[in-house]
Amino acid sequence: MLSGVRTQPFQSGRGPLSPGSRAGLGAALALLAIVSAVELADGRPAHYVALMVAAPFLAAALASWRVVLGVGLLATGIGAAFALAEQTASLVTAVNVAGIALATAIAGAVAAVRQRQSERIAELSRLASVAQQAVLRSLGPQVGTLAVAARYISSTATAEIGGDLYEAMDTPYGVRMIIGDVRGKGLDAVRLASIVLGSYRHVAYERADLRAVVTDLDRAVARNVGDEDFVTAALVEERGGTLTIVNCGHPPPLLLRRGAVIPLEPPAPAPPLGFMPVVRPRVERLEPGDRLLLFTDGLGEARRDGEFFPTADRAWRLLGHGTVADGLASLETALVEWVHGRLDDDIALVLMEYTGPRSAAAAPVPSWEVGAAES
């Protein structure tokens, strides 16, 4: 999956300092060193001790509350040392030192609150990732006669969760795949995606015709969405080298063959699931080495400076080499570079390669026919 820069959870124990704590501690110590050097160069009485009040607040922006208290105690001690070094005790200097101690307490409380919030966000992000993995199972590397790989690219750095979905299964009717995109984001989208996938995992084994699968999925969506909610989807079936595709308002898959990239547009448009689509299948004959890219509309909408990512123009160069997993990794890298790491929508990608007809010798022999096969 595409990931942005993720916030590291702050260490609450006594283990090694987190990167944030190290950065906050370093910045605070640098400030204390600079103020101390200026104060020593200026001589007595102390004029700049009050500036040390910024050190615990500077640490509180990044570091844990324990580090903040340590910095505050150090700043208070340095301030007290300058106060005691004066020949005549100054009320102003004493007030400044007391201010540093008070600032330390306030900054420590702020750091503790921020640390709890950061840990909560990290936990929510982890739970979102677990929920996403529960909905989307890993695919490949081989499903029937197809080499298959999938990737989920999240547009959100703090959570890998959304309404894009995919699945691939070896059924009695051939290898069947689905890719879809739920309108909306967040937990409602994940809930609907899980409903679609749960229904698909059942009916893909029960219905011989993809059009019947679409009808069942449409009913499942219609029972669980509002008037304006829907799911775009493309369903693919490979049986004996024949590729059948039905499309419900989804971006057409791309067929990669001998250096050419062919969009597999449906014979007639159909609305998304939830709007009673009537689909017409598109049938293609596959050749060994053919690759098929299934994707959600986040890929088509990825752009920089108003220019969309040239998926069709670059598809063969990015996806036509190595394994299917290598191809998707190249596509993700190129996409992230194109948009400078900022995506407006999640993207699901599935890349399959037809490796040729299933060998008769490799076909499993039912246990009750083992004796007949050997005779």
Side-chain angles (χ1 to χ4, degrees), residues 42-93:
D42 185 62
R44 289 178 252 172
H47 291 127
Y48 305 104
V49 168
L51 294 178
M52 294 184 182
V53 75
F57 286 110
L58 183 60
L62 296 171
S64 67
W65 64 269
R66 288 187 174 88
V67 173
V68 172
L69 292 182
V71 168
L73 290 175
L74 178 61
T76 303
I78 294 175
F82 280 114
L84 293 175
E86 291 184 348
Q87 294 178 350
T88 303
S90 168
L91 177 63
V92 173
T93 304

Short mmCIF file of all heavy atoms in Angstrom, two decimals, residues 42-93:
data_model
loop_
_atom_site.label_atom_id
_atom_site.label_comp_id
_atom_site.label_asym_id
_atom_site.label_seq_id
_atom_site.Cartn_x
_atom_site.Cartn_y
_atom_site.Cartn_z
N ASP A 42 27.57 38.33 28.91
CA ASP A 42 27.06 39.64 29.34
C ASP A 42 27.51 40.00 30.74
O ASP A 42 27.59 41.18 31.09
CB ASP A 42 25.52 39.61 29.27
CG ASP A 42 24.91 40.95 29.58
OD1 ASP A 42 25.18 41.91 28.82
OD2 ASP A 42 24.17 41.06 30.58
N GLY A 43 27.81 38.98 31.55
CA GLY A 43 28.24 39.25 32.91
C GLY A 43 27.06 39.45 33.85
O GLY A 43 25.92 39.15 33.54
N ARG A 44 27.35 39.99 35.03
CA ARG A 44 26.32 40.18 36.03
C ARG A 44 25.76 41.59 35.97
O ARG A 44 26.50 42.52 35.61
CB ARG A 44 26.90 39.90 37.42
CG ARG A 44 27.20 38.44 37.67
CD ARG A 44 27.82 38.22 39.02
NE ARG A 44 29.24 37.90 38.86
CZ ARG A 44 30.09 37.80 39.86
NH1 ARG A 44 29.71 38.05 41.08
NH2 ARG A 44 31.33 37.47 39.64
N PRO A 45 24.50 41.81 36.36
CA PRO A 45 23.51 40.82 36.81
C PRO A 45 22.93 40.04 35.64
O PRO A 45 23.16 40.38 34.48
CB PRO A 45 22.44 41.70 37.49
CG PRO A 45 22.49 42.98 36.73
CD PRO A 45 23.94 43.19 36.40
N ALA A 46 22.11 39.03 35.96
CA ALA A 46 21.53 38.18 34.93
C ALA A 46 20.39 38.92 34.24
O ALA A 46 19.47 39.41 34.89
CB ALA A 46 21.00 36.89 35.55
N HIS A 47 20.48 38.99 32.91
CA HIS A 47 19.47 39.69 32.13
C HIS A 47 18.62 38.77 31.26
O HIS A 47 17.52 39.15 30.85
CB HIS A 47 20.14 40.73 31.21
CG HIS A 47 20.74 41.86 31.94
ND1 HIS A 47 22.06 42.25 31.77
CD2 HIS A 47 20.24 42.70 32.90
CE1 HIS A 47 22.34 43.29 32.55
NE2 HIS A 47 21.24 43.58 33.25
N TYR A 48 19.11 37.59 30.96
CA TYR A 48 18.45 36.76 29.94
C TYR A 48 17.92 35.43 30.48
O TYR A 48 17.51 34.56 29.71
CB TYR A 48 19.45 36.46 28.80
CG TYR A 48 20.04 37.72 28.22
CD1 TYR A 48 21.35 38.10 28.52
CD2 TYR A 48 19.31 38.53 27.37
CE1 TYR A 48 21.90 39.25 28.01
CE2 TYR A 48 19.85 39.69 26.84
CZ TYR A 48 21.14 40.05 27.17
OH TYR A 48 21.68 41.19 26.63
N VAL A 49 17.91 35.29 31.80
CA VAL A 49 17.43 34.04 32.39
C VAL A 49 15.98 33.75 31.98
O VAL A 49 15.58 32.59 31.78
CB VAL A 49 17.58 34.09 33.92
CG1 VAL A 49 16.83 32.93 34.58
CG2 VAL A 49 19.05 34.04 34.32
N ALA A 50 15.18 34.79 31.83
CA ALA A 50 13.76 34.61 31.52
C ALA A 50 13.55 33.87 30.19
O ALA A 50 12.52 33.23 29.99
CB ALA A 50 13.05 35.96 31.47
N LEU A 51 14.55 33.98 29.29
CA LEU A 51 14.40 33.30 27.99
C LEU A 51 14.38 31.77 28.14
O LEU A 51 13.89 31.07 27.25
CB LEU A 51 15.54 33.71 27.06
CG LEU A 51 15.56 35.19 26.63
CD1 LEU A 51 16.78 35.45 25.75
CD2 LEU A 51 14.28 35.55 25.89
N MET A 52 14.93 31.28 29.26
CA MET A 52 14.95 29.83 29.45
C MET A 52 13.56 29.24 29.66
O MET A 52 13.38 28.03 29.61
CB MET A 52 15.84 29.47 30.65
CG MET A 52 17.31 29.81 30.42
SD MET A 52 18.34 29.27 31.79
CE MET A 52 19.96 29.85 31.23
N VAL A 53 12.55 30.09 29.91
CA VAL A 53 11.19 29.60 30.07
C VAL A 53 10.69 28.92 28.80
O VAL A 53 9.78 28.09 28.84
CB VAL A 53 10.26 30.76 30.47
CG1 VAL A 53 9.96 31.65 29.27
CG2 VAL A 53 8.97 30.25 31.08
N ALA A 54 11.30 29.27 27.65
CA ALA A 54 10.87 28.68 26.37
C ALA A 54 11.33 27.24 26.20
O ALA A 54 10.77 26.49 25.40
CB ALA A 54 11.39 29.53 25.20
N ALA A 55 12.38 26.82 26.95
CA ALA A 55 12.96 25.49 26.75
C ALA A 55 11.95 24.36 27.01
O ALA A 55 11.78 23.47 26.17
CB ALA A 55 14.21 25.32 27.61
N PRO A 56 11.24 24.33 28.16
CA PRO A 56 10.28 23.23 28.36
C PRO A 56 9.14 23.24 27.35
O PRO A 56 8.65 22.19 26.95
CB PRO A 56 9.78 23.44 29.79
CG PRO A 56 10.13 24.84 30.14
CD PRO A 56 11.35 25.18 29.37
N PHE A 57 8.70 24.44 26.93
CA PHE A 57 7.63 24.49 25.93
C PHE A 57 8.13 24.00 24.57
O PHE A 57 7.39 23.35 23.83
CB PHE A 57 7.10 25.92 25.80
CG PHE A 57 6.23 26.33 26.95
CD1 PHE A 57 6.68 27.28 27.87
CD2 PHE A 57 4.99 25.76 27.15
CE1 PHE A 57 5.89 27.66 28.93
CE2 PHE A 57 4.18 26.13 28.21
CZ PHE A 57 4.64 27.08 29.11
N LEU A 58 9.39 24.29 24.27
CA LEU A 58 9.96 23.80 23.02
C LEU A 58 10.04 22.27 23.04
O LEU A 58 9.71 21.60 22.05
CB LEU A 58 11.36 24.40 22.82
CG LEU A 58 12.08 24.05 21.51
CD1 LEU A 58 11.28 24.53 20.31
CD2 LEU A 58 13.47 24.69 21.50
N ALA A 59 10.43 21.72 24.18
CA ALA A 59 10.47 20.26 24.29
C ALA A 59 9.07 19.66 24.24
O ALA A 59 8.86 18.58 23.68
CB ALA A 59 11.17 19.87 25.59
N ALA A 60 8.08 20.37 24.80
CA ALA A 60 6.72 19.83 24.85
C ALA A 60 6.10 19.68 23.47
O ALA A 60 5.16 18.89 23.30
CB ALA A 60 5.84 20.75 25.71
N ALA A 61 6.61 20.40 22.49
CA ALA A 61 6.06 20.30 21.13
C ALA A 61 6.31 18.93 20.52
O ALA A 61 5.56 18.49 19.65
CB ALA A 61 6.64 21.40 20.25
N LEU A 62 7.38 18.24 20.97
CA LEU A 62 7.76 16.98 20.33
C LEU A 62 8.00 15.84 21.32
O LEU A 62 7.77 14.69 20.99
CB LEU A 62 9.02 17.19 19.49
CG LEU A 62 8.92 18.14 18.29
CD1 LEU A 62 10.30 18.40 17.72
CD2 LEU A 62 8.01 17.57 17.23
N ALA A 63 8.49 16.15 22.50
CA ALA A 63 8.99 15.12 23.40
C ALA A 63 7.92 14.66 24.38
O ALA A 63 6.85 15.25 24.51
CB ALA A 63 10.22 15.64 24.15
N SER A 64 8.23 13.56 25.08
CA SER A 64 7.33 13.03 26.10
C SER A 64 7.38 13.92 27.34
O SER A 64 8.29 14.73 27.52
CB SER A 64 7.75 11.60 26.46
OG SER A 64 9.02 11.61 27.12
N TRP A 65 6.39 13.72 28.21
CA TRP A 65 6.33 14.58 29.39
C TRP A 65 7.52 14.36 30.32
O TRP A 65 7.96 15.30 31.01
CB TRP A 65 5.02 14.35 30.14
CG TRP A 65 4.83 12.97 30.71
CD1 TRP A 65 4.24 11.91 30.12
CD2 TRP A 65 5.25 12.52 32.00
NE1 TRP A 65 4.25 10.81 30.94
CE2 TRP A 65 4.85 11.16 32.12
CE3 TRP A 65 5.89 13.12 33.08
CZ2 TRP A 65 5.10 10.40 33.27
CZ3 TRP A 65 6.14 12.37 34.23
CH2 TRP A 65 5.75 11.03 34.31
N ARG A 66 8.08 13.16 30.35
CA ARG A 66 9.26 12.92 31.19
C ARG A 66 10.45 13.75 30.71
O ARG A 66 11.20 14.33 31.50
CB ARG A 66 9.62 11.43 31.18
CG ARG A 66 8.67 10.56 31.97
CD ARG A 66 9.19 9.13 32.06
NE ARG A 66 8.37 8.29 32.92
CZ ARG A 66 7.30 7.62 32.53
NH1 ARG A 66 6.93 7.67 31.25
NH2 ARG A 66 6.61 6.90 33.38
N VAL A 67 10.64 13.82 29.40
CA VAL A 67 11.72 14.63 28.84
C VAL A 67 11.48 16.10 29.13
O VAL A 67 12.40 16.85 29.47
CB VAL A 67 11.84 14.38 27.32
CG1 VAL A 67 12.84 15.34 26.70
CG2 VAL A 67 12.27 12.94 27.05
N VAL A 68 10.21 16.54 29.03
CA VAL A 68 9.87 17.93 29.30
C VAL A 68 10.22 18.30 30.74
O VAL A 68 10.81 19.36 31.01
CB VAL A 68 8.38 18.19 29.01
CG1 VAL A 68 7.99 19.58 29.47
CG2 VAL A 68 8.10 18.02 27.53
N LEU A 69 9.86 17.43 31.68
CA LEU A 69 10.18 17.71 33.08
C LEU A 69 11.69 17.75 33.31
O LEU A 69 12.20 18.59 34.07
CB LEU A 69 9.54 16.66 33.99
CG LEU A 69 8.01 16.69 34.08
CD1 LEU A 69 7.52 15.62 35.05
CD2 LEU A 69 7.51 18.07 34.50
N GLY A 70 12.41 16.85 32.65
CA GLY A 70 13.87 16.88 32.77
C GLY A 70 14.46 18.17 32.25
O GLY A 70 15.35 18.78 32.89
N VAL A 71 13.98 18.62 31.09
CA VAL A 71 14.47 19.88 30.53
C VAL A 71 14.12 21.04 31.45
O VAL A 71 14.92 21.95 31.70
CB VAL A 71 13.87 20.10 29.12
CG1 VAL A 71 14.12 21.52 28.64
CG2 VAL A 71 14.46 19.09 28.14
N GLY A 72 12.88 21.02 31.99
CA GLY A 72 12.46 22.10 32.88
C GLY A 72 13.29 22.17 34.15
O GLY A 72 13.65 23.26 34.61
N LEU A 73 13.58 21.01 34.73
CA LEU A 73 14.42 20.99 35.93
C LEU A 73 15.82 21.51 35.64
O LEU A 73 16.41 22.25 36.44
CB LEU A 73 14.48 19.57 36.50
CG LEU A 73 13.18 19.04 37.11
CD1 LEU A 73 13.35 17.58 37.53
CD2 LEU A 73 12.78 19.89 38.32
N LEU A 74 16.35 21.14 34.46
CA LEU A 74 17.67 21.63 34.09
C LEU A 74 17.65 23.15 33.91
O LEU A 74 18.55 23.86 34.37
CB LEU A 74 18.13 20.95 32.81
CG LEU A 74 19.49 21.41 32.25
CD1 LEU A 74 20.61 21.13 33.27
CD2 LEU A 74 19.80 20.70 30.93
N ALA A 75 16.62 23.65 33.22
CA ALA A 75 16.52 25.09 33.01
C ALA A 75 16.37 25.83 34.33
O ALA A 75 16.98 26.89 34.55
CB ALA A 75 15.34 25.39 32.09
N THR A 76 15.56 25.26 35.24
CA THR A 76 15.39 25.89 36.54
C THR A 76 16.70 25.91 37.32
O THR A 76 17.06 26.91 37.97
CB THR A 76 14.32 25.14 37.36
OG1 THR A 76 13.09 25.11 36.62
CG2 THR A 76 14.08 25.82 38.71
N GLY A 77 17.45 24.80 37.26
CA GLY A 77 18.74 24.76 37.95
C GLY A 77 19.73 25.76 37.39
O GLY A 77 20.45 26.43 38.16
N ILE A 78 19.77 25.89 36.06
CA ILE A 78 20.70 26.86 35.46
C ILE A 78 20.29 28.28 35.85
O ILE A 78 21.14 29.12 36.20
CB ILE A 78 20.71 26.70 33.93
CG1 ILE A 78 21.30 25.34 33.55
CG2 ILE A 78 21.51 27.83 33.28
CD1 ILE A 78 21.23 25.05 32.06
N GLY A 79 18.98 28.54 35.81
CA GLY A 79 18.52 29.88 36.21
C GLY A 79 18.85 30.17 37.66
O GLY A 79 19.26 31.29 38.01
N ALA A 80 18.65 29.17 38.54
CA ALA A 80 18.98 29.37 39.95
C ALA A 80 20.47 29.62 40.14
O ALA A 80 20.88 30.42 41.00
CB ALA A 80 18.52 28.16 40.76
N ALA A 81 21.30 28.93 39.35
CA ALA A 81 22.75 29.13 39.45
C ALA A 81 23.13 30.55 39.10
O ALA A 81 23.97 31.19 39.78
CB ALA A 81 23.46 28.13 38.55
N PHE A 82 22.53 31.09 38.04
CA PHE A 82 22.81 32.48 37.68
C PHE A 82 22.30 33.44 38.75
O PHE A 82 22.94 34.48 39.03
CB PHE A 82 22.16 32.81 36.32
CG PHE A 82 22.96 32.33 35.14
CD1 PHE A 82 22.46 31.34 34.31
CD2 PHE A 82 24.21 32.86 34.86
CE1 PHE A 82 23.19 30.89 33.22
CE2 PHE A 82 24.94 32.42 33.77
CZ PHE A 82 24.44 31.43 32.95
N ALA A 83 21.17 33.12 39.36
CA ALA A 83 20.63 33.99 40.41
C ALA A 83 21.54 34.00 41.63
O ALA A 83 21.80 35.06 42.23
CB ALA A 83 19.23 33.52 40.80
N LEU A 84 22.05 32.81 42.00
CA LEU A 84 22.93 32.73 43.17
C LEU A 84 24.28 33.38 42.90
O LEU A 84 24.97 33.81 43.85
CB LEU A 84 23.12 31.27 43.58
CG LEU A 84 21.87 30.56 44.11
CD1 LEU A 84 22.17 29.08 44.35
CD2 LEU A 84 21.39 31.22 45.40
N ALA A 85 24.67 33.44 41.63
CA ALA A 85 25.96 34.04 41.29
C ALA A 85 25.95 35.56 41.40
O ALA A 85 27.01 36.20 41.41
CB ALA A 85 26.37 33.62 39.88
N GLU A 86 24.74 36.14 41.47
CA GLU A 86 24.67 37.59 41.61
C GLU A 86 25.14 38.01 43.00
O GLU A 86 24.85 37.34 43.99
CB GLU A 86 23.24 38.07 41.38
CG GLU A 86 22.76 37.92 39.94
CD GLU A 86 21.36 38.50 39.74
OE1 GLU A 86 20.70 38.80 40.76
OE2 GLU A 86 20.96 38.66 38.57
N GLN A 87 25.86 39.14 43.08
CA GLN A 87 26.35 39.62 44.37
C GLN A 87 25.19 40.06 45.26
O GLN A 87 25.20 39.88 46.48
CB GLN A 87 27.31 40.80 44.15
CG GLN A 87 28.58 40.39 43.44
CD GLN A 87 29.50 41.58 43.19
OE1 GLN A 87 29.11 42.72 43.37
NE2 GLN A 87 30.74 41.29 42.78
N THR A 88 24.18 40.65 44.64
CA THR A 88 23.00 41.07 45.38
C THR A 88 21.79 40.39 44.76
O THR A 88 21.57 40.48 43.54
CB THR A 88 22.81 42.60 45.29
OG1 THR A 88 23.98 43.24 45.78
CG2 THR A 88 21.60 43.04 46.13
N ALA A 89 21.02 39.69 45.58
CA ALA A 89 19.86 38.97 45.06
C ALA A 89 18.88 39.95 44.45
O ALA A 89 18.54 40.98 45.04
CB ALA A 89 19.19 38.18 46.17
N SER A 90 18.43 39.65 43.27
CA SER A 90 17.50 40.50 42.52
C SER A 90 16.12 39.86 42.52
O SER A 90 15.99 38.66 42.27
CB SER A 90 17.99 40.70 41.08
OG SER A 90 16.98 41.28 40.29
N LEU A 91 15.10 40.67 42.84
CA LEU A 91 13.73 40.16 42.82
C LEU A 91 13.34 39.74 41.41
O LEU A 91 12.65 38.72 41.25
CB LEU A 91 12.77 41.24 43.34
CG LEU A 91 11.29 40.86 43.32
CD1 LEU A 91 11.03 39.67 44.24
CD2 LEU A 91 10.43 42.07 43.76
N VAL A 92 13.80 40.47 40.42
CA VAL A 92 13.46 40.14 39.03
C VAL A 92 14.02 38.77 38.67
O VAL A 92 13.33 37.93 38.07
CB VAL A 92 13.99 41.22 38.07
CG1 VAL A 92 13.78 40.78 36.62
CG2 VAL A 92 13.30 42.54 38.32
N THR A 93 15.26 38.51 39.03
CA THR A 93 15.87 37.22 38.71
C THR A 93 15.15 36.09 39.43
O THR A 93 14.92 35.01 38.87
CB THR A 93 17.36 37.22 39.10
OG1 THR A 93 18.02 38.31 38.44
CG2 THR A 93 18.03 35.92 38.71
#
